Amino acid sequence: MAQDSVGLSSDYQFWIQKLSVWKQASTLETQQDTCLYLPQFQEFLRQMYEALKEMDSNTVIERFPTIGQLLAKTCRNPFILAYDESQKILIWCLCCLINKDPQNSGESQLNSWTRGLLSRILAAFRSDIKEVDLFTQGLGYAPADYYPGLLKNMVLSLVSELRENHLNGFNTQSRMAPERVRSLSRVCVPLVTLPDFEPLVEALLTYHGQEPQEVLWPEFFGAVNEAFLLKKICLPVSAVLCLWLRHLPSLEKAVLHLFEKLVSSERNCLRRIECFMKDSLLPEAACHPAIFRVVDEMFRYALLETEGAPEVLAAMQVFTRCFVEALEKENQQPKFALKTYFPYASPSLVMVLLQRPKDIPQGLWHRPLKRISEMLKEIVEDETQGSSGGPFENWFLLAHFGGWADIAAEQLLTSVGDAEPPEALLWLLAFSSSPGDGPQQRAQTMVEVKAVLSHLGRLLRSPTLSAGNLLAAAEESREGDPRPPACQQLTRRLLLNFLLWAPGGRAMARDVITLVSLPFPASCLSLTAQVEDGAD
Amino acid sequence: MDSLLQQLERFSEVLAVSRTTHVSTWDAATVRRALQWARYLRHVHRRFGRHARIRKALERRLQNQWKQEGGSGPAPALGLTNFQALGHCDLLLSLRLLANRALGDAAFHYLLQELFPGPGVPGAEEGTLQGSLALLARRRAAVHMLRSSAYRENPVLQEDSLMKTQAELLLERLQEVGEAHAEGPGRFLSRLWEHLPHNNFLKVTAAALLLPPSSPRHQEEESELGNPRRAGERGRELLHWLLGKSEVIVAFCRNLPAGLLTSVAGRHPEVSRVYLGLLTDWGRHLHYDLQKGIWIGTESQDVPWEELYGRFQSLCQAPPPLKDEVLTTLKSCKAQDGDFEVPGLSIWTDLLLALESGA
């Protein structure tokens, strides 16, 4: 407690000084400075209130003799009053100063002074123009009646001035001067969360002046982005798109915010991830290649940093799926060539990957799978082809469209025990689980997988099929040695797929899952969901 | 129903008193009761908002005050004037009490506790009084900031936000007054004319006559009741009064800027007729001074040539029906004077010559 009050005292000094410099925030510098400190000052006000509410008004004066100055200066700064909840907290602080039963003239005076200040914030507004006041009074209206309407009209007027600039390209008279637009964006910083201001914020975001450099104030973008991420403002996609295109840090923050949300929630089923993803508006915005590239880069870094963490991989796959959906919804004819989205990949490969499996009859899935496998094999194993990127790039591309690897696994398992598993599918699976392998290692993996498949096939036909047997088949290698970890992941994945697709597999799903306690690879997230859904 | 109306009356009294020094006798208990009453009426508003019959009965009672003849002073001591106001009557009461210096310290302290309970009030903050009051303070700051930084008075007067807001308020009030009493609007407007600064009043009147046909604010509120209030109807009462009072229409045409009058005349043919009549009248008061070679008036209130020319010029820039009407009038006046082509003999000739060369 004592420590808190010491901290509060030094903060107090800091803020009183700041407020003295800011005064009424009428100059450019004071406005800029005020806007930078708005959240911190609000926090300070909150702490002050927590301290003040425990005291009676005499103690308050003892403890903070200059409290009157602090509160009065705050009242005079419209930027602070306009921000978020600051005006409310300020009123709470003032309420703490009111003495229920003043005993002497000093206390009465304090009461009177405080009441005056409260009145000023709340009740005694004047529109600065005497005639307007007289008129509205004459009609019998109080300011509280007409202020909302006045604000609406002012906002509409400004919005139409901003929009006019588009139409009156050559009419220099009606064009809003860049300095005014800038000043308007500054004024909006504390007010982005006020619903009346939404049209103005939107108009500013979509405003394109004649000047080559950005005319809006950078903190404006930051404030809008914050409000948007915290869902304190409702903006159409077109406005958010403008925001992100004009201010890169906002886009990056939005992606990071999404990552945080995905990582922090405990169990994320696919549907929830998809919900968060669509909510963030990132897939829709990514239809613009510049945005797609930035988001893609961030996914790439995230994967590299976390060494292929399953959560990141799953998020990226959901993102890609939502992105493709948005692209298709937007227009039949894509506005931008595929190469602008995936500049390092072979266009024909991208075309095949973009196909949606559910658009293709299941019986024909092997065709695109074979093509994908062959194309990738050619690119990856041909070392002279430098232009299409190394194995990581291609793996990264494939990882976007994780569904294909899943389908490959599915195909292998539905036909387990029948014919020889096709080499193309084996190669694809092996590549997707460890892209860095050399040709020999990969060949070995493929052999291992073939063995597991045949083992599973045998089990299927045997009468002693049980959860335990299945696990054993998955864990043991052909020679009884423990498999390399990448291989282990792959076999576990195959096991899950087996549970899903092989006849009789689902019956044992629950048992197997309870027995298994080790983490599953990323694409299995979706499979786990399906198994749980299906098993019910 | 009767008890409801009684409650309404009593609360209106309370609301009226809340602005006077009489509140010095109020203690915390009185404040509490007043606030409770307000909350009750707010509940009534919510409950009976869609109940046309009850709503109408309540409104009729509230509009009674308009029927009182000759209100003292410029501003009616208004409290609740329509059903909508019931929706925020607690806000109205609270603001009046907050601003009233006569309220005792103990009662004031209680009031603050009720209005601002502090944090930890979960859920719909906007619905609470605390939320509404904070929002009001926030909006006030917003208006202040816009006005001091980015806002410019719109040169097109009828599109200026302050003007538009005043105009909307005027029409709204006229609507209520008109519903209470058929003669209401005329008397109300006359009283305003007597007590308010003329210049602003005339500008607001012009702006009101130029408001777009449907006010969106009212559409959403009233459309549910199946009683759409069109600005066109409300404007008509205003227009009727304006044209009926010669002193007002003369001041209207004389003092308002040419462009504004042209817009009004373009929209309301009755105004254009009167306006042209006045202009021709003013023109006839000027005579030609041979020495100086200009048209001048004899009395100080005569409209000078430049102004006359300016107004005609503005009218000639208006779209067809008005423009043609103006030219026809000028030409017929010129014909009446003898149809001279030489300058200096008929003001109408000179005007037409100047307009042609200036155009």
Side-chain angles (χ1 to χ4, degrees):
Chain A
M1 266 309 149
Q3 207 168 28
D4 280 346
S5 66
V6 166
L8 198 58
S9 296
S10 65
D11 284 345
Y12 185 96
Q13 290 309 319
F14 172 74
W15 289 115
I16 271 231
Q17 271 188 338
K18 272 288 184 196
L19 286 167
S20 306
V21 169
W22 291 341
K23 293 216 223 331
Q24 286 158 339
S26 41
T27 68
L28 176 66
E29 292 78 18
T30 50
Q31 284 180 4
Q32 280 183 273
D33 205 37
T34 312
C35 286
L36 283 175
Y37 285 98
L38 284 170
Q40 292 98 309
F41 185 69
Q42 176 158 294
E43 195 40 51
F44 165 71
L45 274 182
R46 235 185 257 277
Q47 285 170 6
M48 278 303 291
Y49 169 67
E50 294 298 321
L52 289 177
K53 75 177 185 196
E54 307 296 330
M55 316 175 192
D56 69 63
S57 61
N58 289 317
T59 327
V60 169
I61 299 298
E62 264 177 52
R63 181 85 180 67
F64 300 106
T66 55
I67 187 91
Q69 250 188 67
L70 179 84
L71 295 175
K73 285 189 209 277
T74 310
C75 287
R76 278 191 216 114
N77 192 325
F79 276 76
I80 298 180
L81 289 180
Y83 178 69
D84 202 30
E85 299 193 315
S86 298
Q87 71 290 124
K88 193 161 52 177
I89 307 175
L90 176 62
I91 293 173
W92 292 340
C93 291
L94 284 169
C95 289
C96 294
L97 290 180
I98 294 286
N99 194 321
K100 191 154 60 168
D101 187 21
Q103 295 298 327
N104 55 50
S105 73
E107 290 174 11
S108 289
Q109 266 184 3
L110 177 63
N111 264 9
S112 177
W113 179 87
T114 313
R115 282 171 77 155
L117 217 49
L118 273 169
S119 203
R120 215 165 98 179
I121 306 176
L122 284 167
F125 342 5
R126 291 290 164 249
S127 68
D128 318 327
I129 297 185
K130 200 152 171 283
E131 294 141 345
V132 177
D133 284 338
L134 282 172
F135 189 82
T136 48
Q137 268 177 39
L139 288 179
Y141 283 114
D145 294 320
Y146 69 83
Y147 252 67
L150 176 60
L151 185 58
K152 191 179 82 171
N153 280 338
M154 289 176 88
V155 167
L156 277 179
S157 156
L158 286 166
V159 167
S160 64
E161 268 195 79
L162 282 169
R163 293 259 154 85
E164 235 172 45
N165 283 300
H166 291 231
L167 310 171
N168 292 342
F170 300 108
N171 187 349
T172 41
Q173 265 190 333
S174 64
R175 191 182 303 152
M176 220 179 185
E179 192 40 58
R180 244 184 98 204
V181 179
R182 199 176 173 85
S183 146
L184 194 54
S185 69
R186 216 167 17 243
V187 162
C188 282
V189 167
L191 289 162
V192 288
T193 55
L194 187 62
D196 308 278
F197 265 62
E198 256 169 44
L200 188 55
V201 171
E202 197 188 321
L204 279 171
L205 285 175
T206 51
Y207 168 78
H208 298 294
Q210 306 294 99
E211 305 73 32
Q213 67 271 26
E214 180 58 75
V215 77
L216 296 179
W217 207 39
E219 269 73 4
F220 168 71
F221 293 118
V224 178
N225 200 43
E226 267 300 304
F228 171 71
L229 293 177
L230 297 172
K231 305 249 173 282
K232 288 187 176 171
I233 188 177
C234 233
L235 288 172
V237 182
S238 51
V240 180
L241 187 65
C242 286
L243 167 67
W244 286 338
L245 281 173
R246 289 164 89 153
H247 192 240
L248 182 60
S250 289
L251 174 59
E252 290 173 347
K253 265 214 190 100
V255 180
L256 286 174
H257 180 88
L258 178 66
F259 282 173
E260 269 172 47
K261 244 208 295 210
L262 292 174
V263 162
S264 63
S265 9
E266 291 240 330
R267 269 173 35 106
N268 265 335
C269 70
L270 258 193
R271 233 167 278 136
R272 229 161 137 236
I273 301 181
E274 204 171 307
C275 220
F276 283 152
M277 193 65 70
K278 288 209 171 120
D279 231 15
S280 72
L281 295 188
L282 281 166
E284 269 183 87
C287 292
H288 193 291
I291 296 197
F292 179 85
R293 297 290 303 284
V294 171
V295 180
D296 207 37
E297 271 299 299
M298 293 182 80
F299 271 119
R300 180 201 303 266
Y301 277 125
L303 276 174
L304 285 172
E305 290 295 312
T306 61
E307 297 187 6
E311 294 89 350
V312 182
L313 212 46
M316 186 171 75
Q317 284 164 10
V318 174
F319 168 74
T320 313
R321 208 175 31 239
C322 295
F323 158 69
V324 172
E325 253 178 60
L327 255 189
E328 283 168 10
K329 218 191 295 179
E330 217 177 72
N331 19 236
Q332 273 63 14
Q333 271 276 2
K335 263 193 279 198
F336 300 97
L338 282 177
K339 207 157 172 58
T340 42
Y341 297 104
F342 302 102
Y344 304 121
S346 125
S348 39
L349 176 58
V350 176
M351 288 270 356
V352 184
L353 285 170
L354 270 177
Q355 285 177 300
R356 274 194 304 194
K358 51 186 171 176
D359 289 343
I360 308 172
Q362 202 164 342
L364 296 175
W365 278 353
H366 63 274
R367 279 208 212 132
L369 279 173
K370 198 152 171 276
R371 275 215 74 200
I372 293 171
S373 179
E374 281 166 6
M375 278 199 267
L376 275 172
K377 187 161 184 212
E378 195 183 316
I379 297 170
V380 169
E381 294 186 351
D382 178 4
E383 276 153 16
T384 61
Q385 265 199 2
S387 59
S388 287
F392 175 75
E393 281 305 321
N394 287 287
W395 173 84
F396 183 59
L397 179 65
L398 181 63
H400 277 81
F401 306 94
W404 290 111
D406 288 337
I407 287 172
E410 186 186 324
Q411 290 267 282
L412 283 173
L413 284 154
T414 42
S415 56
V416 77
D418 297 340
E420 272 276 308
E423 289 291 311
L425 297 186
L426 290 172
W427 189 94
L428 193 59
L429 261 187
F431 174 71
S432 81
S433 74
S434 40
D437 285 350
Q440 275 184 334
Q441 260 181 304
R442 191 161 296 136
Q444 201 197 2
T445 310
M446 286 161 70
V447 165
E448 287 283 344
V449 172
K450 223 195 279 194
V452 171
L453 285 171
S454 66
H455 193 158
L456 287 174
R458 281 201 304 277
L459 271 180
L460 203 50
R461 287 185 289 267
S462 89
T464 59
L465 180 60
S466 75
N469 286 5
L470 274 175
L471 267 179
E475 299 297 317
E476 280 175 9
S477 84
R478 214 170 27 158
E479 284 104 47
D481 307 322
R483 292 203 188 87
C487 227
Q488 262 190 349
Q489 274 200 338
L490 190 49
T491 48
R492 245 178 245 131
R493 184 181 178 175
L494 284 171
L495 175 63
L496 247 191
N497 273 284
F498 178 79
L499 290 171
L500 274 174
W501 305 118
R506 293 215 181 185
M508 359 215 77
R510 270 232 176 84
D511 295 333
V512 175
I513 287 178
T514 48
L515 283 175
V516 174
S517 53
L518 296 160
F520 276 90
S523 48
C524 294
L525 271 179
S526 63
L527 301 179
T528 342
Q530 289 183 58
V531 168
E532 287 178 343
D533 282 342
D536 285 333
Chain B
M1 191 64 222
D2 264 346
S3 72
L4 189 56
L5 290 174
Q6 266 184 9
Q7 301 272 19
L8 195 61
E9 292 245 358
R10 252 184 274 152
F11 181 74
S12 292
E13 282 165 22
V14 168
L15 197 58
V17 166
S18 65
R19 270 220 283 208
T20 68
T21 50
H22 191 71
V23 299
S24 55
T25 61
W26 286 19
D27 60 359
T30 328
V31 172
R32 186 178 68 239
R33 274 201 301 276
L35 286 175
Q36 273 174 349
W37 231 332
R39 230 171 279 139
Y40 168 68
L41 283 174
R42 207 174 139 194
H43 168 75
V44 164
H45 172 262
R46 219 176 6 242
R47 178 101 206 290
F48 296 115
R50 295 177 183 269
H51 211 288
R53 197 174 58 89
I54 297 189
R55 185 179 163 135
K56 263 232 151 319
L58 288 171
E59 259 188 358
R60 224 175 294 131
R61 184 59 68 97
L62 287 171
Q63 284 164 354
N64 269 341
Q65 55 197 307
W66 296 115
K67 296 209 179 113
Q68 289 154 18
E69 309 277 322
S72 56
L78 285 181
L80 307 168
T81 58
N82 58 30
F83 189 74
Q84 270 327 103
L86 281 181
H88 52 260
C89 59
D90 50 354
L91 191 67
L92 280 174
L93 177 66
S94 311
L95 285 170
R96 286 188 184 195
L97 289 175
L98 279 169
N100 197 335
R101 293 312 209 125
L103 191 64
D105 286 316
F108 191 79
H109 184 259
Y110 177 79
L111 177 69
L112 287 182
Q113 274 186 329
E114 279 296 302
L115 294 180
F116 300 109
V121 181
E125 253 290 311
E126 304 82 43
T128 66
L129 261 185
Q130 180 167 262
S132 312
L133 287 165
L135 184 59
L136 207 53
R138 199 170 179 204
R139 279 173 164 158
R140 178 194 174 231
V143 169
H144 179 90
M145 281 162 71
L146 280 180
R147 275 186 63 79
S148 51
S149 323
Y151 180 76
R152 297 283 176 275
E153 201 177 292
N154 200 320
V156 181
L157 203 100
Q158 63 265 37
E159 284 171 20
D160 180 67
S161 326
L162 275 173
M163 277 297 145
K164 254 176 108 172
T165 311
Q166 290 177 89
E168 283 166 1
L169 289 172
L170 177 64
L171 289 185
E172 206 179 293
R173 207 36 119 210
L174 283 179
Q175 171 85 62
E176 284 167 16
V177 172
E179 283 189 350
H181 199 296
E183 308 290 312
R187 268 206 291 263
F188 181 69
L189 286 165
S190 299
R191 198 163 68 211
L192 286 178
W193 176 252
E194 273 163 53
H195 290 112
L196 294 177
H198 289 179
N199 200 24
N200 189 53
F201 181 76
L202 289 172
K203 285 191 194 151
V204 175
T205 304
L209 290 173
L210 289 171
L211 276 179
S214 54
S215 159
R217 190 169 139 212
H218 271 86
Q219 261 179 1
E220 47 185 81
E221 285 172 1
E222 309 302 316
S223 63
E224 301 164 338
L225 292 175
N227 183 18
R229 302 174 177 191
R230 289 180 293 273
E233 287 179 358
R234 306 181 288 174
R236 243 185 283 143
E237 289 160 348
L238 181 61
L239 190 61
H240 182 73
W241 174 82
L242 180 66
L243 294 169
K245 283 218 141 200
S246 69
E247 155 197 11
V248 183
I249 189 72
V250 168
F252 188 81
C253 295
R254 186 81 171 77
N255 299 331
L256 290 181
L260 184 59
L261 278 167
T262 305
S263 304
V264 177
R267 180 90 166 259
H268 302 274
E270 310 97 317
V271 175
S272 74
R273 253 172 274 140
V274 175
Y275 187 33
L276 279 174
L278 283 171
L279 284 172
T280 50
D281 207 38
W282 294 334
R284 284 193 229 284
H285 274 108
L286 300 181
H287 65 271
Y288 196 65
D289 185 325
L290 265 171
Q291 271 191 322
K292 297 187 193 146
I294 52 169
W295 291 88
I296 51 169
T298 41
E299 284 148 50
S300 59
Q301 64 259 38
D302 283 336
V303 178
W305 160 269
E306 294 76 17
E307 197 183 317
L308 208 59
Y309 171 68
R311 289 179 184 279
F312 273 111
Q313 189 184 42
S314 170
L315 284 168
C316 287
Q317 284 166 354
L322 183 58
K323 174 179 181 164
D324 299 331
E325 196 186 328
V326 172
L327 287 172
T328 313
T329 309
L330 281 173
K331 288 190 182 131
S332 84
C333 287
K334 172 181 167 190
Q336 275 180 356
D337 271 3
D339 219 3
F340 297 109
E341 293 300 335
V342 181
L345 293 169
S346 161
I347 190 169
W348 311 114
T349 312
D350 288 15
L351 273 170
L352 278 166
L353 283 172
L355 286 168
E356 269 158 45
S357 61

